[in-house]
Amino acid sequence: AQSVAQPEDQVNVAEGNPLTVKCTYSVSGNPYLFWYVQYPNRGLQFLLKYITGDNLVKGSYGFEAEFNKSQTSFHLKKPSALVSDSALYFCAVRDTGRRALTFGSGTRLQVQP
Amino acid sequence: DGGITQSPKYLFRKEGQNVTLSCEQNLNHDAMYWYRQDPGQGLRLIYYSQIVNDFQKGDIAEGYSVSREKKESFPLTVTSAQKNPTAFYLCASSVADLDGYTFGSGTRLTVV
Protein backbone atom coordinates (compact mmCIF):
# COMPACT_ATOMS: atom_id res chain seq x y z
CA ALA A 1 0.00 0.00 0.00
CA GLN A 2 1.08 3.54 -0.66
CA SER A 3 2.03 5.80 2.23
CA VAL A 4 3.62 9.14 3.02
CA ALA A 5 5.50 10.19 6.12
CA GLN A 6 5.92 13.68 7.48
CA PRO A 7 8.64 13.29 10.10
CA GLU A 8 8.18 16.69 11.75
CA ASP A 9 5.07 17.57 13.72
CA GLN A 10 6.08 21.23 13.72
CA VAL A 11 8.54 23.45 11.90
CA ASN A 12 9.50 26.87 13.20
CA VAL A 13 11.11 29.48 10.98
CA ALA A 14 11.69 33.20 11.14
CA GLU A 15 9.96 35.46 8.66
CA GLY A 16 12.14 36.05 5.60
CA ASN A 17 14.09 32.83 6.04
CA PRO A 18 13.74 29.86 3.70
CA LEU A 19 11.46 27.06 4.82
CA THR A 20 11.36 23.33 4.17
CA VAL A 21 8.61 20.91 5.14
CA LYS A 22 9.67 17.31 4.69
CA CYS A 23 7.79 14.42 3.12
CA THR A 24 8.92 10.91 2.20
CA TYR A 25 6.83 8.40 0.32
CA SER A 26 6.48 4.70 -0.29
CA VAL A 27 4.75 3.53 -3.46
CA SER A 28 4.73 0.60 -5.81
CA GLY A 29 4.92 2.06 -9.30
CA ASN A 30 5.06 5.69 -10.35
CA PRO A 31 4.57 8.19 -7.54
CA TYR A 32 1.90 10.86 -7.86
CA LEU A 33 2.48 13.35 -5.07
CA PHE A 34 0.61 16.36 -3.75
CA TRP A 35 0.90 19.14 -1.18
CA TYR A 36 -2.03 20.82 0.55
CA VAL A 37 -2.34 23.57 3.15
CA GLN A 38 -5.00 23.93 5.84
CA TYR A 39 -5.85 27.07 7.79
CA PRO A 40 -7.70 26.75 11.13
CA ASN A 41 -11.20 25.24 10.91
CA ARG A 42 -11.11 25.20 7.13
CA GLY A 43 -10.81 22.66 4.38
CA LEU A 44 -7.53 21.97 2.62
CA GLN A 45 -6.24 23.99 -0.30
CA PHE A 46 -4.25 22.44 -3.14
CA LEU A 47 -0.70 23.83 -3.47
CA LEU A 48 1.04 21.70 -6.09
CA LYS A 49 1.50 18.23 -7.51
CA TYR A 50 4.11 16.03 -9.14
CA ILE A 51 2.90 13.62 -11.80
CA THR A 52 5.84 13.45 -14.19
CA GLY A 53 8.47 15.73 -15.72
CA ASP A 54 10.73 18.25 -13.96
CA ASN A 55 11.78 17.35 -10.46
CA LEU A 56 11.17 20.93 -9.27
CA VAL A 57 7.47 21.69 -9.19
CA LYS A 58 6.18 25.23 -8.71
CA GLY A 59 2.84 25.88 -7.06
CA SER A 60 0.63 28.47 -5.45
CA TYR A 61 1.71 31.30 -3.10
CA GLY A 62 5.40 30.99 -4.02
CA PHE A 63 5.75 27.40 -2.85
CA GLU A 64 7.70 24.76 -4.71
CA ALA A 65 8.55 21.13 -4.11
CA GLU A 66 11.51 19.01 -5.09
CA PHE A 67 10.92 15.42 -6.15
CA ASN A 68 13.85 13.12 -5.40
CA LYS A 69 13.35 9.59 -6.62
CA SER A 70 16.51 8.13 -5.09
CA GLN A 71 15.62 9.46 -1.65
CA THR A 72 11.86 8.90 -2.13
CA SER A 73 11.23 12.43 -0.94
CA PHE A 74 9.01 15.33 -1.97
CA HIS A 75 9.94 18.24 0.28
CA LEU A 76 7.98 21.49 0.19
CA LYS A 77 10.04 24.67 0.04
CA LYS A 78 9.74 28.41 -0.08
CA PRO A 79 12.66 30.84 -0.41
CA SER A 80 11.30 33.45 1.99
CA ALA A 81 8.67 32.63 4.62
CA LEU A 82 5.79 34.93 5.52
CA VAL A 83 3.91 35.05 8.82
CA SER A 84 0.77 34.31 6.77
CA ASP A 85 2.30 30.97 5.71
CA SER A 86 1.68 29.68 9.24
CA ALA A 87 -0.69 26.75 8.80
CA LEU A 88 -0.93 22.97 8.70
CA TYR A 89 0.67 21.32 5.67
CA PHE A 90 -0.17 17.90 4.31
CA CYS A 91 1.69 15.72 1.87
CA ALA A 92 -0.36 13.13 -0.04
CA VAL A 93 0.19 10.29 -2.48
CA ARG A 94 -2.30 8.93 -4.96
CA ASP A 95 -3.03 5.32 -4.24
CA THR A 96 -2.71 3.44 -7.52
CA GLY A 97 -4.90 0.66 -6.21
CA ARG A 98 -7.93 2.77 -5.42
CA ARG A 99 -7.65 6.15 -7.16
CA ALA A 100 -7.82 8.30 -4.05
CA LEU A 101 -5.25 10.22 -2.03
CA THR A 102 -3.56 8.95 1.10
CA PHE A 103 -2.48 11.82 3.34
CA GLY A 104 0.38 12.19 5.79
CA SER A 105 -0.18 13.20 9.38
CA GLY A 106 0.55 16.86 8.70
CA THR A 107 3.24 19.36 9.73
CA ARG A 108 2.41 22.57 11.51
CA LEU A 109 4.45 25.48 10.17
CA GLN A 110 4.95 28.41 12.50
CA VAL A 111 6.56 31.53 11.02
CA GLN A 112 7.70 34.00 13.62
CA PRO A 113 7.82 37.74 12.89
CA ASP B 1 -19.00 31.04 -7.97
CA GLY B 2 -18.17 27.37 -8.32
CA GLY B 3 -17.34 25.48 -5.21
CA ILE B 4 -18.09 22.71 -2.79
CA THR B 5 -20.45 23.26 0.12
CA GLN B 6 -20.66 21.25 3.30
CA SER B 7 -23.48 21.62 5.78
CA PRO B 8 -24.01 22.00 8.59
CA LYS B 9 -20.78 23.57 9.86
CA TYR B 10 -21.36 22.17 13.35
CA LEU B 11 -23.43 19.11 14.25
CA PHE B 12 -24.23 17.52 17.56
CA ARG B 13 -25.28 13.89 17.79
CA LYS B 14 -26.80 12.01 20.66
CA GLU B 15 -25.75 8.48 21.41
CA GLY B 16 -27.57 6.01 19.15
CA GLN B 17 -28.58 8.57 16.53
CA ASN B 18 -27.84 8.52 12.83
CA VAL B 19 -26.86 11.86 11.31
CA THR B 20 -26.28 12.90 7.70
CA LEU B 21 -23.64 15.34 6.54
CA SER B 22 -24.33 17.14 3.30
CA CYS B 23 -21.80 17.72 0.53
CA GLU B 24 -22.77 19.53 -2.70
CA GLN B 25 -20.54 20.72 -5.54
CA ASN B 26 -21.28 22.80 -8.62
CA LEU B 27 -17.88 22.27 -10.24
CA ASN B 28 -19.08 19.50 -12.55
CA HIS B 29 -16.50 17.19 -10.97
CA ASP B 30 -16.92 13.46 -11.47
CA ALA B 31 -15.07 12.29 -8.36
CA MET B 32 -16.02 12.97 -4.74
CA TYR B 33 -14.44 11.92 -1.45
CA TRP B 34 -15.08 11.89 2.28
CA TYR B 35 -12.25 12.17 4.80
CA ARG B 36 -12.20 12.22 8.57
CA GLN B 37 -9.67 14.40 10.38
CA ASP B 38 -8.57 13.74 13.95
CA PRO B 39 -5.81 15.66 15.73
CA GLY B 40 -2.37 14.24 14.99
CA GLN B 41 -3.68 11.64 12.57
CA GLY B 42 -4.03 13.57 9.37
CA LEU B 43 -6.90 12.71 7.05
CA ARG B 44 -8.30 9.22 6.72
CA LEU B 45 -10.40 8.14 3.76
CA ILE B 46 -13.96 7.02 4.55
CA TYR B 47 -15.59 6.61 1.13
CA TYR B 48 -15.00 7.81 -2.40
CA SER B 49 -16.93 7.87 -5.64
CA GLN B 50 -15.51 8.20 -9.15
CA ILE B 51 -18.87 8.31 -10.90
CA VAL B 52 -22.60 8.57 -10.21
CA ASN B 53 -24.21 5.48 -8.69
CA ASP B 54 -20.85 3.99 -7.78
CA PHE B 55 -18.73 4.32 -4.64
CA GLN B 56 -16.01 2.43 -2.79
CA LYS B 57 -15.00 1.98 0.82
CA GLY B 58 -11.91 3.69 2.12
CA ASP B 59 -9.81 2.82 5.15
CA ILE B 60 -12.38 3.53 7.85
CA ALA B 61 -15.79 2.86 6.25
CA GLU B 62 -17.25 0.92 9.19
CA GLY B 63 -20.13 2.80 10.79
CA TYR B 64 -20.57 5.11 7.79
CA SER B 65 -22.69 4.99 4.66
CA VAL B 66 -22.91 7.12 1.49
CA SER B 67 -24.96 7.51 -1.66
CA ARG B 68 -24.18 9.04 -5.04
CA GLU B 69 -27.50 9.45 -6.82
CA LYS B 70 -26.54 12.77 -8.41
CA LYS B 71 -23.24 14.04 -9.73
CA GLU B 72 -23.45 17.12 -7.51
CA SER B 73 -24.20 15.41 -4.22
CA PHE B 74 -22.37 12.91 -1.99
CA PRO B 75 -24.01 12.78 1.46
CA LEU B 76 -22.38 10.90 4.33
CA THR B 77 -24.43 9.21 7.05
CA VAL B 78 -22.76 8.55 10.38
CA THR B 79 -24.64 5.64 11.89
CA SER B 80 -25.01 4.55 15.49
CA ALA B 81 -22.53 1.78 14.69
CA GLN B 82 -19.72 4.34 14.54
CA LYS B 83 -18.55 4.28 18.15
CA ASN B 84 -16.29 7.30 18.09
CA PRO B 85 -17.73 9.76 15.57
CA THR B 86 -16.49 13.00 17.11
CA ALA B 87 -14.22 14.48 14.43
CA PHE B 88 -13.88 17.02 11.64
CA TYR B 89 -15.32 15.68 8.38
CA LEU B 90 -14.08 16.93 5.04
CA CYS B 91 -15.64 16.42 1.63
CA ALA B 92 -13.64 16.93 -1.56
CA SER B 93 -14.12 16.66 -5.31
CA SER B 94 -11.90 16.48 -8.36
CA VAL B 95 -12.21 16.35 -12.14
CA ALA B 96 -10.16 13.17 -12.16
CA ASP B 97 -8.09 11.44 -9.52
CA LEU B 98 -4.78 12.93 -10.69
CA ASP B 99 -6.12 16.45 -10.35
CA GLY B 100 -5.90 18.52 -7.22
CA TYR B 101 -8.86 18.15 -4.91
CA THR B 102 -11.21 20.99 -4.05
CA PHE B 103 -12.24 20.72 -0.40
CA GLY B 104 -15.29 21.96 1.41
CA SER B 105 -14.98 23.89 4.66
CA GLY B 106 -15.81 20.86 6.76
CA THR B 107 -18.38 19.74 9.31
CA ARG B 108 -17.40 19.37 12.95
CA LEU B 109 -19.40 16.55 14.51
CA THR B 110 -19.61 16.17 18.27
CA VAL B 111 -21.31 13.44 20.24
CA VAL B 112 -23.19 14.74 23.27
Side-chain angles (χ1 to χ4, degrees), chain A:
Chain A
Q2 278 66 214
S3 65
V4 289
Q6 296 182 242
E8 302 156 316
D9 290 336
Q10 181 155 328
V11 170
N12 297 308
V13 64
E15 188 174 30
N17 284 1
L19 69 87
T20 299
V21 182
K22 295 180 180 178
C23 173
T24 59
Y25 65 88
S26 173
V27 300
S28 55
N30 293 326
Y32 303 119
L33 299 158
F34 300 76
W35 274 103
Y36 288 81
V37 61
Q38 184 181 33
Y39 296 98
N41 297 312
R42 301 299 305 273
L44 280 66
Q45 296 177 31
F46 170 71
L47 284 176
L48 51 81
K49 67 179 179 181
Y50 173 83
I51 303 300
T52 187
D54 289 341
N55 289 342
L56 187 63
V57 179
K58 294 191 182 296
S60 306
Y61 313 120
F63 284 94
E64 56 190 25
E66 186 171 10
F67 172 70
N68 188 316
K69 189 172 183 177
S70 63
Q71 297 185 7
T72 61
S73 67
F74 188 55
H75 300 334
L76 182 70
K77 300 183 179 186
K78 188 174 183 182
S80 179
L82 300 172
V83 172
S84 58
D85 292 330
S86 298
L88 191 55
Y89 290 81
F90 289 96
C91 183
V93 63
R94 192 266 216 162
D95 191 322
T96 54
R98 62 181 181 183
R99 301 177 66 189
L101 293 182
T102 295
F103 286 83
S105 56
T107 298
R108 186 164 301 282
L109 174 67
Q110 194 70 39
V111 181
Q112 284 115 8

Side-chain angles (χ1 to χ4, degrees), chain B residues 52-70:
Chain B
V52 176
N53 291 322
D54 188 41
F55 50 82
Q56 288 77 41
K57 293 181 179 180
D59 296 318
I60 56 166
E62 186 176 352
Y64 300 97
S65 66
V66 294
S67 63
R68 186 83 189 277
E69 297 176 359
K70 299 186 299 181

